[in-house]
Amino acid sequence: MHVERSKGLRMKQAMVACALALVGLMGAVKAVEAKVDVNHRLEVETGAHSVKVRVLIENRGDKPVWIPREIALGDDLTAPRFLLRTPEDEVAYTGRMVKRAAPGPADYLEVKPQTTHLNTIDITDAYAFKPGRHSYEIRYAGPWLTSLGSLDAASIKQSPALPVKFSFTGR
C-alpha cells in the first residue's frame, strides 16, 4: 500500500509540474505574440464631398521595415487596398485598377526604427459610396516586410489596423 501511495504521489507531482510548465510556456508564447514591431492605425476625415484616410505606420522595432509605397506616399489608389463595409454589405472598389508585375524593391518605402510615417489618401472616388448618409467601417490589413531581399508572400508580415467606423453623405 505504501508503494502505491508513493507512485500515486509521484504521478500527481509530475502532473502538477507538467501543468505548471505548460502554463509557463503559454505565458512565454503570449509574451512573444504580444511583441509587435509595426503598428498600423487608420483615421478617417469626412468633408462635404470627400473621405480621406490617414494611415499611420509606427515602427517600434530596432530595425527598418518596408511598407507598400502606394499606401506610404500615394494620394489615390490603384487597387482595393482597404476593405470598406456598411453594416449590411461590402462596398465595391470602383477606383483605378493598374495592372503591374509582382511588387519589387522600388514598390516599398523604408520606415526607420522608432519612427512613425503618416500619409493621407482620398478614397472618395475609389469606392461606391451610397447616396445619402450612411455608416461605414474601414479596415486595412497592414502588410510590411522586414527585408527587401525576399519579396515572396511568405515574407510579408501583417499588422492589421483596428477597424474605424465613420459616417459619410454620398451624392
Side-chain angles (χ1 to χ4, degrees):
M1 193 90 153
H2 178 68
V3 174
E4 287 181 10
R5 279 188 189 170
S6 180
K7 282 182 184 178
L9 182 59
R10 277 187 275 157
M11 258 315 258
K12 285 180 185 176
Q13 287 174 334
M15 288 173 57
V16 168
C18 284
L20 289 173
L22 284 173
V23 168
L25 181 61
M26 285 174 26
V29 168
K30 285 188 179 187
V32 169
E33 287 176 357
K35 186 176 182 338
V36 175
D37 291 331
V38 179
N39 182 41
H40 284 80
R41 190 171 67 226
L42 300 178
E43 295 175 355
V44 177
E45 176 186 323
T46 58
H49 299 290
S50 70
V51 177
K52 295 182 180 179
V53 178
R54 274 188 297 280
V55 182
L56 292 92
I57 302 106
E58 182 180 14
N59 180 359
R60 299 176 184 168
D62 297 331
K63 296 181 180 178
V65 297
W66 286 264
I67 57 174
R69 188 171 289 278
E70 181 176 23
I71 293 297
L73 298 175
D75 55 1
D76 64 350
L77 300 174
T78 59
R81 306 294 180 208
F82 301 103
L83 174 62
L84 189 63
R85 298 189 54 82
T86 66
E88 296 83 33
D89 53 14
E90 189 171 331
V91 177
Y93 177 79
T94 57
R96 292 187 309 140
M97 292 292 285
V98 176
K99 197 171 195 173
R100 297 181 180 188
D107 295 313
Y108 291 90
L109 177 77
E110 179 182 8
V111 178
K112 297 196 180 304
Q114 304 301 317
T115 63
T116 299
H117 183 80
L118 167 69
N119 188 37
T120 302
I121 303 168
D122 187 341
I123 66 165
T124 312
D125 296 329
Y127 289 88
F129 288 98
K130 295 179 178 184
R133 186 163 185 80
H134 295 278
S135 295
Y136 296 91
E137 180 179 87
I138 189 167
R139 295 175 179 263
Y140 177 63
W144 55 279
L145 299 167
T146 56
S147 168
L148 290 179
S150 174
L151 296 177
D152 60 355
S155 65
I156 297 174
K157 311 281 187 216
Q158 302 278 331
S159 61
L162 291 174
V164 174
K165 293 184 181 197
F166 66 97
S167 293
F168 177 64
T169 304
R171 301 184 244 174

